[in-house]
Amino acid sequence: MGAPTTTDAGKGLLRFITCGSVDDGKSTLLGRLLYDAGTVPEDQLAALARDSRRLHADAGDALDFALLTDGLDAEREQGITIDVAYRYFHTARRSFIVADCPGHEQYTRNMATGASNAELAVVLVDARKGLLPQTRRHTYICSLLGIRQVVLAVNKMDLVDGDEAVYRGISEAYRALAQTLGIASVACLPVIAPGGDNVGARSARMPWYRGPSLLELLESADAAPARAVDFRMPVQWVNRPDQSFRGYAGTICGGRVARGDEVVVQPGVQRARIERIVTADGDLDSAGDGQAVTLCLDRELDASRGDVIADALRPAPVADQFTCHLLWLGDSALLPNRAYWLKLGTRTVNARVMAIKHKVDVNSQARLAARHLELNEVGYCTLGLDEEVAFEAYADNRTLGGFILIDRQSNATVACGMLDFALGRSANVHWQHVDIDKSVRAASKGQQPLCLWFTGLSGAGKSTIANLVERRLHALGCHTYLLDGDNVRHGINRDLGFTPEDRVENIRRIAEVAHLMVDAGLIVLVSVISPYRSERQSARELFAAAEFMEVFVDTPLEECERRDPKGLYRKARAGAIRNFTGIDAPYERPEAPDIHLAGAGRSEELAEQVVARIVATFDGGADG
Amino acid sequence: MSTDNAPTHSHLDDLEAESIHIFREVAASFRHPVMLYSIGKDSSVLLHLLRKAFYPAKPPLPLLHVDTTWKFREMIAFRDRVAAAGDVQVLVHINEEGVRQGISPLVHGATVHTDVMKTQALKQALDRYGFDAAIGGARRDEEKSRAKERVFSFRNAQHRWDPKRQRPEFWHTFNTQIRRGESVRVFPLSNWTEMDVWLYIRRENIPVVPLYFAKPRPVVARDGALIMVDDERLALREGETVEMREVRFRTLGCYPLTGAVESGADTLDKIIREMADSRSSERQGRVIDHDPTASMERKKQEGYF
């Protein structure tokens, strides 16, 4: 085996994945590879022999190599791979980290997890079946995640009598596929995984194949991933033990930096020179891609976590609108215009998918029209961020071009994305400065501007209560406006229906209009079902803390249905209306509304509760 | 910028940088992180990386040792020396309820002892201090269910791991968002192997508990393992005798549950050579792993590290 004991062998570490269709023998091939590399310890081999006999009583003493890699109970029970398993082995020539990826379409997100850190993929094909939709899907996901080297292993060659023509046909078809997907390097070989033919050693059963074994191919593969050339380091943590030291800790994700180099802190334009490159092992003269360092600058700058320190002569592009590929990982669908957290490098900002240009059928790579993305679907999208960020195209820099989206309610990782390029339009639209601002306008009205957001089921009494509140405020001399959800749908939102994606956009527009009116100094009452927590939160975030009050009109569904002022529940129950909140569309109750009204009570009393709260904030002198 | 030939970086340099990145991400993203310190070689490497990650500042998070009261005496002495260095705070937690009940691996067996004095104790400590991120030294090469775990591994408010619903994890862009009461376990050594750990200990000259080095020690052969007689609580059974044998330990845990291996490896070089020739896996000496095959997966679901 030749473990690297005297040094840690400066030969490159190769990170690769194995993937391929279900039942193509992927786990078996990897188990055999580990066995042939001599890295399976004796006690694990004994357990393997024991488990093989127990599960395959009819197979004699043959070892089931797949059992070496399937780790979870559920996987062994079902005989499939669910999640990525990482394995570590080495030969005399180099060290390997291999991610064994699941084949089923429902676990595509786990396969992509494995692919994101890999430089090479071993794709398996069953010689009897040739290229399958899964083969195409996996190859596509590999190309999407930036893998540029593939080894195609045509497995189960014994079941086609070692027929060279079968192998040639599959190899040529695969090379054609890889070429269309932009995979630069493809090596093919025929294998029989359980027997180890062409895995660790050449096969006597296929003398016509004279190329290298799988292990030899892996040992000689190019380990260096595409290295970005311009210096970039996302600031991870500001190191400030005392007044005398201020350093920016991070991992360099492109290029090199040397003492004295001029850098810029992005997305801003502040420049400085590198004074020190600090590590616990002493200062460095220069440092490069992949190194974790702490940079000291020659002047005090306002830099913090999430900023990118970049070569001042070749800075990263900065933008807040992009095109990108998104692989959707969430159990619930992507909704355009919903706000998600986007994490890029060390920066976390609010982001919205503004439009899905098309989705890509992962099996055929056909482009399809789409209004939303479901689990494991890939879309080509335009993306808008609340703030500008420094970035790179994913093809140039995985760290500054690859991002994740996080659901703001569940905190689940719902997408991974690969940035393509910035949209020019964001750079050309600037905020225009105006002299008369909100506080001036509010002062001339003698009031604190406010948005009162009434949410609740249809028929809960939102509009009735909002109307009463507005009358009372008007009587008190306040300048108000009532934005009613139904009325807005006749005008600015007349193009929207009641699908989840349209509801998201409906709320976004109403919130923006309310925001303009608050900016004009008004007290705005919004009455709209607004069934999703996420969009109500986004609405709240448009306003200063004291400017927004969520009023939950909490009327039980049975009561709303009994009232049914517009006859809508009856129609919904009869199936004449689809996507009706409370019937066949969800309502997500507020978790901490500012005002919680028991909606079954008398409207006048409920309105009085709201007015009392508002008047109290006037007296408290909210800071608008 | 300089475009001169970049020096080639070794495999250990890559692993070190990755681990430091993970440490910094924890410190920057969580309100109240902690590092689980179990005194073994992996913990020694973790502590070394912790110091490096935040140099020249002192580590911005404390260590927590969950003391089962059955650790080797040399381990406790080593821990106390680490605490005496003064740059890191070392918290020690013991499940006092378990002590009152007299829970012992010798009486109650490995499974009950591990559950009460390790898993339950760990959950008590995390709740008591309100830690929202707990860094541990587990490596994916140790065991099959560990091989499937994420670097940032989500735990619900009951500290449970759901292996079928792990968050996908891309590049080194970790999702650190959690709600109050939830937590993550973080494994900076995920991609290290046992060999990497020893090579790094040698390269960086990291102190480890002397029990890893071979020397004559009093042991008794019991249930197929060599158990060191570390104190008077290990009562001899009929027919057992204490022998002095030259042994060392590949992993360290509670002494009645940790088998020694016969070995002459009394230096780092010899340990590394022995490991390169070794044909058995590291956790073989751990009695607690010898339950049904997937026991680690179950223990982890219940909150074990």
Side-chain angles (χ1 to χ4, degrees), chain A residues 40-55 63-64 67-68, chain B residues 144 293:
Chain A
V40 182
E42 268 165 15
D43 54 320
Q44 281 185 21
L45 271 183
L48 174 66
R50 202 171 53 236
D51 292 346
S52 299
R53 273 194 301 277
R54 185 167 53 81
L55 289 167
L63 298 177
D64 180 355
L67 296 174
L68 278 176
Chain B
K144 282 193 204 181
T293 5

Side-chain angles (χ1 to χ4, degrees), chain A residues 148-397:
Chain A
R148 294 288 171 262
Q149 304 178 77
V150 172
V151 174
L152 179 78
V154 181
N155 192 24
K156 307 198 184 182
M157 285 298 295
D158 51 332
L159 302 183
V160 295
D161 302 319
D163 186 344
E164 182 177 3
V166 172
Y167 164 75
R168 295 259 165 249
I170 293 173
S171 306
E172 277 158 33
Y174 189 82
R175 284 182 194 281
L177 169 68
Q179 192 174 17
T180 64
L181 293 173
I183 291 172
S185 155
V186 177
C188 304
L189 80 170
V191 300
I192 304 168
D197 298 60
N198 290 335
V199 178
R202 311 288 169 84
S203 169
R205 288 193 271 185
M206 293 173 281
W208 46 264
Y209 176 75
R210 293 184 198 85
S213 70
L214 178 58
L215 205 51
E216 287 167 337
L217 272 173
L218 294 173
E219 285 180 329
S220 60
D222 180 12
R227 293 286 184 190
V229 289
D230 297 326
F231 168 68
R232 306 283 183 258
M233 190 193 86
V235 175
Q236 218 182 349
W237 187 74
V238 181
N239 193 338
R240 260 198 115 176
D242 54 52
Q243 292 302 318
S244 69
F245 186 90
R246 184 190 189 91
Y248 301 101
T251 305
I252 297 172
C253 70
R256 289 193 70 76
V257 69
R259 212 162 36 191
D261 281 353
E262 188 172 29
V263 293
V264 57
V265 178
Q266 298 191 285
V269 294
Q270 298 177 93
R271 291 177 172 219
R273 288 195 181 275
I274 301 287
E275 192 170 77
R276 295 177 61 194
I277 302 171
V278 177
T279 77
D281 298 312
D283 282 12
L284 305 177
D285 289 331
S286 72
D289 195 15
Q291 282 184 271
V293 294
T294 300
L295 301 179
C296 297
L297 305 180
D298 69 345
R299 70 199 69 159
E300 289 252 330
L301 290 182
D302 179 24
S304 56
R305 175 175 167 82
D307 289 334
V308 175
I309 300 180
D311 183 341
L313 299 177
R314 301 175 63 85
V318 169
D320 61 4
Q321 291 188 18
F322 307 91
T323 58
C324 66
H325 279 95
L326 267 193
L327 169 59
W328 194 253
L329 317 163
D331 292 325
S332 48
L334 160 75
L335 296 178
N337 293 309
R338 168 168 286 187
Y340 299 92
W341 292 117
L342 175 146
K343 187 172 183 187
L344 173 71
T346 57
R347 188 85 184 273
T348 302
V349 298
N350 258 326
R352 289 178 168 80
V353 170
M354 300 184 296
I356 302 171
K357 287 170 168 273
H358 58 258
K359 74 178 178 189
V360 180
D361 181 320
V362 291
N363 294 321
S364 68
Q365 289 76 57
R367 294 177 176 191
L368 309 168
R371 299 198 66 186
H372 53 248
L373 288 182
E374 304 280 358
L375 174 65
N376 294 324
E377 289 188 334
V378 173
Y380 192 60
C381 306
T382 55
L383 190 73
L385 277 50
D386 280 4
E387 300 161 52
E388 292 194 315
V389 297
F391 77 101
E392 298 277 9
Y394 184 75
D396 298 333
N397 189 319

